[in-house]
């Protein structure tokens, strides 16, 4: 270990987050703390990217009593779309645009992932979470996805009550709002809730290729065990080194909403003996961890299996395919 390195283990960290800290913590992650609409690099071959940026810029610059978006939001309880929903594949810059909107908008405003909002309701109770979020000028929801019926009913009600209170909402997802939940649970039994949720939004599609794959198409190759120590010793800052299986087991003891706190301050991660994950719930927790590592631009090196082999073929063909593909894209970026 070099003199500029501090070695820790994520499997030793079990952070606790007090309920009163949850709202204060709903801000863009470190990787997006300085982004803006101007720093969003559009692809000239994909005009929908420029259009989406312009729509969000207009959305955050105009008051609710002026212009197109003013009319959009002045509909109140009379019905009609009251929020903006960015639909697009992974790696087209949706999170960048969402964070840019948060920075540009009048405060107070919140920014968080879907799971962070569902956890907020679980920690505070629905009434308090709704009341606290109703004080916001803008609520940004990244990675909107419905994984179970409870989430569907909960988020449909929360989004409706927030928009009825005049709160502006921007959401991003890999799935159109009317198709949320498909392949994950009996979504057809919750069509009313899903449609009510979809009705809250004006949808804008962002097309394009995964920008993280423009130069790299696969994660870095794993290192032989004999070379891992040497490579790890060259890393600077706070380095988290863990046996991969032990780390996966530890994730089951920490709620995904606390993974961000768990990886705070980490500059690099070293994973020993990476293997394919053959359990869906374990795989989904791993995805949540990678999302928080990506937020903080944590460099990853590993031994064992290649990082693009962590999910089974069955998983990559199932209902969570988009989520796993986004994870692989982010692993490619972090291991490069």
């Amino acid at each position: 270990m070099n003199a500029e390195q501090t070695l820790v283990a994520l499997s030793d960290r079990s952070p606790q987050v007090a309920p009163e800290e949850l709202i204060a913590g709903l801000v863009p992650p470190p990787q997006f703390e300085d982004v803006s609409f101007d720093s969003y690099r559009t692809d000239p071959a994909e005009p929908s990217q420029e259009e989406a940026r312009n729509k969000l810029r207009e959305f955050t610059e105009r008051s609710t009593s002026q212009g197109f978006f003013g009319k959009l939001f002045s509909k109140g309880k009379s019905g009609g779309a009251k929020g903006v929903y960015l639909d697009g594949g992974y790696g087209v810059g949706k999170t960048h645009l969402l964070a840019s909107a948060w920075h540009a908008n009048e405060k107070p405003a919140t920014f968080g992932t879907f799971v962070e909002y569902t956890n907020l309701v679980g920690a505070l109770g629905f009434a308090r979470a709704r009341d606290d979020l109703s004080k916001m000028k803008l609520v940004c929801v990244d990675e909107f996805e419905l994984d179970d019926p409870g989430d569907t009913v909960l988020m449909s009600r929360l989004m409706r009550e927030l928009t009825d209170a005049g709160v502006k909402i921007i959401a991003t997802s890999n799935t159109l709002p009317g198709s949320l939940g498909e392949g994950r649970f009996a979504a057809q039994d919750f069509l009313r809730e899903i449609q009510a949720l979809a009705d809250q939004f004006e949808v804008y599609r962002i097309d394009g290729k995964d920008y993280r794959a423009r130069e790299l198409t696969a994660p870095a190759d794993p290192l032989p065990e004999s070379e891992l120590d040497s490579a790890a010793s060259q890393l600077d800052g706070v380095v988290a080194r863990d046996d991969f299986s032990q780390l996966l087991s530890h994730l089951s003891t920490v709620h995904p909403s606390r993974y961000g706190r768990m990886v705070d301050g980490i500059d690099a991660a070293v994973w020993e003996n990476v293997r394919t994950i053959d359990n869906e719930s374990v795989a989904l927790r791993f995805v949540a961890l990678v999302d928080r590592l990506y937020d903080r631009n944590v460099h990853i090196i590993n031994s064992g299996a290649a990082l693009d082999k962590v999910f089974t073929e069955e998983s990559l063909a199932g209902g969570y395919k988009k989520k796993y593909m986004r994870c692989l894209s982010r692993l490619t970026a972090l291991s490069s």
Side-chain angles (χ1 to χ4, degrees):
M1 184 174 70
N2 66 56
E4 298 180 358
Q5 181 186 109
T6 300
L7 192 63
V8 299
L10 291 180
S11 54
D12 290 337
R13 293 185 167 193
S14 297
Q16 301 299 316
V17 182
E20 57 270 19
E21 296 180 76
L22 294 174
I23 289 285
L26 290 175
V27 296
Q31 185 172 357
F32 299 99
E33 62 185 3
D34 297 318
V35 299
S36 67
F37 290 124
D38 290 336
S39 67
Y40 177 67
R41 294 179 295 172
T42 61
D43 183 347
E46 300 292 350
S48 62
Q49 296 181 8
E50 179 72 17
E51 180 182 358
R53 178 172 67 177
N54 291 341
K55 292 294 184 183
L56 286 189
R57 192 193 296 270
E58 181 182 8
F59 175 76
T60 55
E61 288 178 349
R62 295 191 178 188
S63 71
T64 57
S65 61
Q66 296 177 337
F68 170 76
F69 282 109
K71 295 177 182 178
L72 190 70
F73 279 85
S74 65
K75 293 178 181 177
K77 296 182 180 182
S78 63
K82 310 175 188 70
V84 175
Y85 190 103
L86 298 182
D87 168 58
Y90 48 88
V92 296
K94 299 188 302 297
T95 301
H96 185 133
L97 286 175
L98 187 65
S100 299
W102 184 93
H103 287 298
N105 201 83
E106 185 182 0
K107 304 298 185 292
T110 59
F111 181 107
T113 61
F114 179 85
V115 70
E116 288 175 311
Y117 285 104
T118 56
N119 178 67
L120 179 74
V121 175
L124 302 183
F126 184 89
R128 181 180 169 185
R130 177 202 58 207
D131 292 346
D132 286 352
L133 291 174
S134 294
K135 300 173 185 176
M136 300 297 131
K137 303 289 186 182
L138 174 69
V139 168
C140 295
V141 186
D142 201 18
E143 302 164 15
F144 205 112
E145 47 207 2
L146 299 179
D147 291 342
D148 60 63
D151 287 348
T152 303
V153 175
L154 174 70
M155 293 304 287
S156 176
R157 179 184 173 191
L158 181 62
M159 295 296 102
R160 183 178 67 252
E161 295 194 16
L162 289 180
T163 54
D164 284 349
V167 179
K168 297 187 294 185
I169 298 175
I170 307 174
T172 72
S173 182
N174 297 322
T175 304
L176 286 168
S179 300
L180 289 165
E182 286 185 355
R184 302 183 181 183
F185 59 94
Q188 67 273 12
D189 295 338
F190 295 87
L191 290 178
R192 183 177 66 179
E193 288 82 2
I194 292 173
Q195 189 57 53
L197 183 62
D199 288 344
Q200 305 303 314
F201 297 104
E202 189 81 12
V203 178
Y204 293 102
R205 173 74 186 177
I206 306 180
D207 295 309
K209 298 179 181 179
D210 179 2
Y211 76 92
R212 292 183 289 264
R214 291 174 188 173
E215 297 181 357
L216 301 167
T217 58
D221 291 335
L223 296 171
E225 288 294 333
S226 59
E227 298 179 15
L228 188 65
D229 286 344
S230 176
S233 69
Q234 302 302 312
L235 299 172
D236 294 330
V238 180
V239 178
R241 182 163 181 168
D242 293 89
D243 175 79
F244 192 68
S245 293
Q246 184 176 350
L247 175 61
L248 294 179
S249 296
H250 180 65
L251 293 181
S252 66
T253 70
V254 180
H255 192 278
S257 65
R258 302 204 300 270
Y259 288 178
R261 183 68 62 87
M262 185 171 71
V263 302
D264 274 346
I266 299 298
D267 297 299
V270 180
W271 293 339
E272 303 171 7
N273 306 309
V274 167
R275 61 172 176 81
T276 300
I277 304 171
D278 54 12
N279 179 282
E280 189 97 276
S281 61
V282 175
L284 291 173
R285 285 194 292 267
F286 176 70
V287 168
L289 174 67
V290 172
D291 285 341
R292 303 293 74 81
L293 293 172
Y294 179 76
D295 287 342
R296 291 153 179 79
N297 199 27
V298 175
H299 180 55
I300 299 172
I301 63 174
N302 70 286
S303 64
L307 291 175
D308 58 1
K309 302 299 182 184
V310 294
F311 303 121
T312 66
E313 292 299 324
E314 291 78 11
S315 293
L316 293 174
Y320 298 98
K321 175 182 178 178
K322 292 180 180 179
K323 185 178 288 192
Y324 293 137
M325 295 302 293
R326 182 189 72 216
C327 182
L328 293 177
S329 170
R330 292 181 167 185
L331 286 172
T332 296
L334 295 179
S335 65
S336 64

